[in-house]
Amino acid sequence: MTEYHPRTAAPPHGRAHGTHGAAISRRRFVAAAGAGAAVALAEAGAAGEEAPMAKRPHILMITCHDIGQHVGCYGVETVRSPNLDRLARRGIRFHNYYGGAPTCSPSRGVMLTGRYPQSNGLMGLTHAPWWWSLNPGERHLAAILTGAGYHTVLAGLQHVTQADPHTLGYDEVLSKRCVAEETVAAARQVLARAKTSAKPVFLKVGFFEVHRRAGSYSHREPDTTRGVFIPPYLKNTPAIRDDLARFQADVHFLDACIGRILEGLEAAGIADRTLVIFTAEHGIAYPGAKWCLREPGLRIPYILHRPGTPMAGGKVYHDLMSHVDFLPTLLGLVGVPVPENVQGMSFAPLLLGKTDKGPRRYVFGHRQPHARRENVARSVRDERFKLIRCFENDRVVQYPTDAVPIGVARHTARPQRKGARPFAELFDLKDDPNELHNLSGDAKYADVLKRLNEALYAWMHRVNDPLLNGPIATPYYRRAISDLRKYRPRGEA
């Protein structure tokens, strides 16, 4: 499990002979040309124009489960993630990047349609017994890129439909068992083929890691090489410490798999023509992170790299950005027009240096429970303040918690709760980054509370949030009531 190192280009042996009399290596010339092409492509995409297919880069998009920002390049120094850290140093990363929801399917749906869960229909998990799904007619990123001339390939996990992934728009579906080693091998084969492909290639690599297995990380030996980081919302108990040490080992395994894929990209000789992206869907699988709209549940990694372009150099962006912006930003960067119904904002102009500030003022969160760990809620935050509004009865979780993570994951334990949960929770993320002090009843923050409530309501109205019309009927309820109605007395309406 070592860090990969791209091959170093050999120094040029000859000189260019012509009227300019300048010496330049072919590799440098290609890199410079690629940088100019990347800027032109992105400018075309940002303007809604379609770029020539032959000039579009390949796209290598890697995702995983449940990692949050729990890697070295995001400040968790006890985690060994040399390949992701190197990718961030060579590329760019967003520090304040947010998933659309603190659970898997809805957040992935936001990312891959550019539309919020209330609009695209995928408000919960796709598999039984939850059965949420995208609404008919929703266009997945794979379908959009296929229509724009890309050859689209899925290797591994997708988790936005229970149907055949080909229905999402993929030309090829590989590594269907989602076994990491098989997914790595499949990805490397696709990259090797991409060198001679007549079309640009979109390769989506999905890892099951670092999801718990049967609620546990017992399949890994604890990794305490650099110690163990305990997030501030968890108590430092033996059970929590051991579980986090095993989680760190799983992150290290994932990182090694990603390193093998990046090695394959270099070996294929197409790194200069490939935009590499790494992201996830929500926070780590611990109480106080995954399953709730707190910062650790929504903040996730977003790293991009393409040599010789503005997506290089190790820059860190602190602008607020949401998963809903992923699709329009990517389309802008590769010169594909953005569909009119997309609700996200393109950050392509920011990445190209055409502006010095991202377009987003607020980031919104959606929580529609698929398991009884948290209640129905929505959230909004700006650069400093965070508002969470609750729509289902519950009690206030006491943080930091000593709830055993395996028990929480297996539904046999819950964090300690005390007192009725208020309708609104307001947090000052500058002075209270761990969201421990609710300011919603403090008169000094009345104007902030009013502004964020107005922003949240306007967003819910804009995305046609069904909560505004009453409690939401889940797919399970609809199936259950349909099944019951088979037994109605004859003649009853």
Side-chain angles (χ1 to χ4, degrees):
M1 297 182 182
T2 57
E3 182 175 356
Y4 88 102
H5 295 277
R7 298 191 309 276
T8 301
H13 296 288
R15 303 177 69 88
H17 299 281
T19 56
H20 295 88
I24 183 172
S25 71
R26 182 180 184 278
R27 184 178 181 87
R28 288 176 56 199
F29 175 82
V30 171
V39 172
L41 281 170
E43 288 177 341
E49 302 170 3
E50 187 166 357
M53 185 176 69
K55 294 185 178 181
R56 292 187 184 137
H58 302 301
I59 304 167
L60 169 58
M61 177 182 173
I62 304 173
T63 63
C64 71
H65 263 308
D66 295 16
I67 202 169
Q69 293 186 343
H70 208 83
V71 291
C73 59
Y74 279 91
V76 185
E77 297 178 354
T78 63
V79 173
R80 294 187 294 155
S81 51
N83 294 299
L84 286 173
D85 298 347
R86 181 177 176 82
L87 185 67
R89 289 195 304 270
R90 298 178 71 213
I92 62 173
R93 70 176 175 89
F94 273 76
H95 182 71
N96 294 312
Y97 187 78
Y98 288 78
T103 51
C104 180
S105 296
S107 190
R108 290 172 185 263
V110 170
M111 171 177 62
L112 294 166
T113 66
R115 289 163 51 76
Y116 289 103
Q118 302 97 313
S119 300
N120 68 31
L122 190 57
M123 298 178 68
L125 294 181
T126 61
H127 57 276
W130 297 285
W131 298 311
W132 290 94
S133 63
L134 292 169
N135 291 328
E138 290 292 331
R139 295 191 72 201
H140 186 281
L141 175 62
I144 295 171
L145 291 177
T146 297
Y150 271 83
H151 178 69
T152 57
V153 185
L154 170 66
L157 185 76
Q158 50 86 17
H159 208 193
V160 294
T161 183
Q162 284 295 97
D164 183 344
H166 286 96
T167 63
L168 298 173
Y170 288 106
D171 295 314
E172 290 186 74
V173 177
L174 309 173
S175 185
K176 298 178 182 179
R177 296 197 306 155
C178 300
V179 175
E181 292 82 357
E182 293 179 1
T183 298
V184 169
R188 288 172 63 97
Q189 290 173 5
V190 174
L191 293 172
R193 283 192 277 126
K195 185 174 185 178
T196 57
S197 174
K199 295 181 176 182
V201 173
F202 169 61
L203 171 58
K204 167 66 171 63
V205 182
F207 285 100
F208 179 80
E209 287 75 14
V210 290
H211 199 287
R212 294 176 178 273
R213 298 185 185 182
S216 174
Y217 290 112
S218 61
H219 56 288
R220 301 289 177 206
E221 291 299 317
D223 181 359
T224 59
T225 306
R226 299 178 182 172
V228 179
F229 172 69
I230 311 295
Y233 48 90
L234 300 175
K235 289 186 178 179
N236 189 352
T237 68
I240 288 176
R241 191 175 186 85
D242 177 77
D243 194 74
L244 281 164
R246 295 174 187 275
F247 172 56
Q248 289 185 167
D250 213 31
V251 175
H252 187 51
F253 171 78
L254 169 70
D255 182 81
C257 291
I258 292 172
R260 288 282 294 145
I261 293 174
L262 297 179
E263 283 177 350
L265 177 64
E266 289 288 334
I270 57 172
D272 290 343
R273 295 188 287 134
T274 303
L275 174 60
V276 178
I277 304 169
F278 174 74
T279 188
E281 79 287 64
H282 53 67
I284 64 177
Y286 288 82
K290 183 179 179 179
W291 310 298
C292 63
L293 293 174
R294 293 165 50 81
E295 290 291 284
L298 291 174
R299 287 180 68 160
I300 55 176
Y302 181 49
I303 302 171
L304 302 93
H305 180 232
R306 186 183 175 194
T309 75
M311 273 65 71
K315 184 174 182 178
V316 178
Y317 290 88
H318 290 268
D319 305 71
L320 291 175
M321 187 175 180
S322 168
H323 242 5
V324 77
D325 307 321
F326 179 93
L327 183 144
T329 299
L330 175 58
L331 296 183
L333 291 175
V334 300
V336 173
V338 179
E340 292 184 0
N341 69 342
V342 164
Q343 295 166 328
M345 303 175 180
S346 175
F347 279 64
L350 174 67
L351 299 183
L352 290 169
K354 300 299 181 181
T355 178
D356 60 1
K357 188 172 180 58
R360 182 168 291 284
R361 182 182 183 187
Y362 298 112
V363 167
F364 301 95
H366 165 279
R367 172 65 172 130
Q368 197 67 32
H370 61 260
R372 293 299 175 185
R373 293 190 180 95
E374 271 286 344
N375 66 9
V376 180
R378 304 290 186 265
S379 68
V380 58
R381 72 151 291 181
D382 61 13
E383 290 185 351
R384 177 167 180 174
F385 293 96
K386 169 87 162 285
L387 173 68
I388 302 175
R389 290 207 63 101
C390 309
F391 299 92
E392 189 177 39
N393 59 300
D394 202 350
R395 295 191 178 276
V396 180
V397 177
Q398 303 299 292
Y399 293 109
T401 180
D402 61 359
V404 178
I406 296 175
V408 174
R410 291 175 174 171
H411 307 274
T412 59
R414 299 183 75 193
Q416 183 180 356
R417 287 163 161 79
K418 183 179 180 181
R421 187 166 181 176
F423 302 139
E425 295 174 300
L426 177 67
F427 301 106
D428 182 341
L429 298 176
K430 178 181 178 182
D431 295 338
D432 178 28
N434 298 318
E435 301 164 281
L436 298 177
H437 306 292
N438 182 10
L439 304 174
S440 63
D442 191 327
K444 291 188 299 184
Y445 298 92
D447 289 344
V448 174
L449 182 65
K450 179 176 183 293
R451 175 173 58 82
L452 291 181
N453 271 307
E454 289 174 347
L456 184 66
Y457 188 93
W459 170 69
M460 292 176 67
H461 184 268
R462 188 166 63 250
V463 301
N464 197 27
D465 197 319
L467 264 182
L468 295 177
N469 300 318
I472 296 174
T474 66
Y476 186 95
Y477 168 80
R478 291 195 294 268
R479 292 192 185 194
I481 203 69
S482 176
D483 184 70
L484 175 63
R485 283 175 176 158
K486 293 187 296 185
Y487 302 95
R488 287 179 297 185
R490 290 183 180 178
E492 182 176 314

